[in-house]
Amino acid sequence: AAIGTLISAYFSGSLLESMSPSDVFGIASILPLLVGAMSLLIEEEPVNDAATANGETTNTISPIKQQISSLWSALSQPTIYKPILFLFLWKATPTSDGAMLYFLTDDIGFGPEFLGRVRLITAASSLLGVWLYQQYLRRVPIKDVLLWTSVISVPLGLTQLLLISHYNRVLGIPDGAFVFGDDVVLSILGEMAFLP
C-alpha cells in the first residue's frame, strides 16, 4: 500500500498537467478493478465439520453467539475501549483539507505538479513515521504515545494559520517550503499516533 501511495502521489500532479482529470481518474480506477478481478480467481473450499460430514446438522448460531460474546468482553475492557474511543474522536473531528486545498490553489497559486510533490513528500514522511514508531516508540505505553503526539500536534496544526495570514512571508519562509515542512511533520506525528 505504501508503494502505491508513493507512486500515485508522484504521478498525480504531473499527470493532471498533461491529461484531463477524467483520464487520471480512469487510470487510478484500474488498480482497484484489478484487485476486484483477482478476487474472482480465488478458489474457496466449503468448510465441513465432523458433524455435517456424518450427515448430522449442527447449530450454526452457537459459534456466532460465542464470537460476539468474546468480542464484547474484549471491547468492554478499559484498555481496549479507551484508545478506540480516543482514535474515533480524533478521526471524527472536522478538518480543513478542502478549504486548505482551495487556499493553496486559488490564493497562493500552487499548481497540480507542486501539490503532487507535496503529496509525495507527505507519503514518504508517513513511512518515516512508521519507521520511527517501530524503532523508538513500540515499547512505549499507548497512553503516552497518544498524549504526546496530541500535545505536539496541536501547536503544529495551528501553524497553518501562519500560512493563511501570510505571516510566514514576514518571517522569511517561502510558501512552498512552509507547506512542505508543515505537511511532513504532521504526517509523521499522525502515523506515530495511529500505529499503536
Side-chain angles (χ1 to χ4, degrees):
I3 302 283
T5 303
L6 288 173
I7 291 171
S8 69
Y10 179 74
F11 287 113
S12 64
S14 57
L15 284 177
L16 277 174
E17 289 189 351
S18 61
M19 302 172 80
S20 70
S22 61
D23 292 339
V24 173
F25 280 119
I27 291 171
S29 67
I30 290 173
L31 291 176
L33 286 174
L34 288 176
V35 170
M38 295 293 286
S39 69
L40 297 174
L41 300 176
I42 298 173
E43 292 185 28
E44 188 174 12
E45 296 290 326
V47 177
N48 294 324
D49 57 11
T52 57
N54 296 332
E56 301 172 14
T57 58
T58 59
N59 185 3
T60 57
I61 302 297
S62 180
I64 295 173
K65 286 182 180 178
Q66 183 181 4
Q67 288 177 351
I68 290 173
S69 174
S70 297
L71 180 65
W72 180 253
S73 66
L75 289 176
S76 62
Q77 296 177 19
T79 56
I80 302 294
Y81 76 77
K82 285 182 180 180
I84 289 174
L85 181 64
F86 176 81
L87 293 175
F88 172 76
L89 291 175
W90 187 346
K91 284 297 199 180
T93 56
T95 64
S96 61
D97 290 343
M100 194 64 169
L101 178 64
Y102 177 79
F103 174 77
L104 292 175
T105 55
D106 287 357
D107 190 307
I108 296 181
F110 290 151
E113 186 174 351
F114 180 80
L115 294 175
R117 287 183 191 155
V118 170
R119 191 167 163 229
L120 173 68
I121 298 298
T122 302
S125 61
S126 294
L127 291 176
L128 177 63
V130 170
W131 181 81
L132 287 172
Y133 178 82
Q134 289 295 326
Q135 292 296 316
Y136 302 109
L137 299 176
R138 184 174 32 180
R139 291 179 179 80
V140 175
I142 293 174
K143 183 173 95 173
D144 294 340
V145 172
L146 293 176
L147 173 72
W148 287 108
T149 53
S150 299
V151 167
I152 294 169
S153 294
V154 168
L156 290 176
L158 292 174
T159 58
Q160 291 182 347
L161 295 175
L162 296 175
L163 183 67
I164 292 170
S165 65
H166 300 292
Y167 193 72
N168 61 307
R169 295 174 184 169
V170 175
L171 297 173
I173 305 171
D175 293 335
F178 193 84
V179 169
F180 272 120
D182 184 52
D183 283 356
V184 165
V185 173
L186 289 176
S187 65
I188 290 172
L189 286 173
E191 285 298 322
M192 290 192 308
F194 288 106
L195 278 176

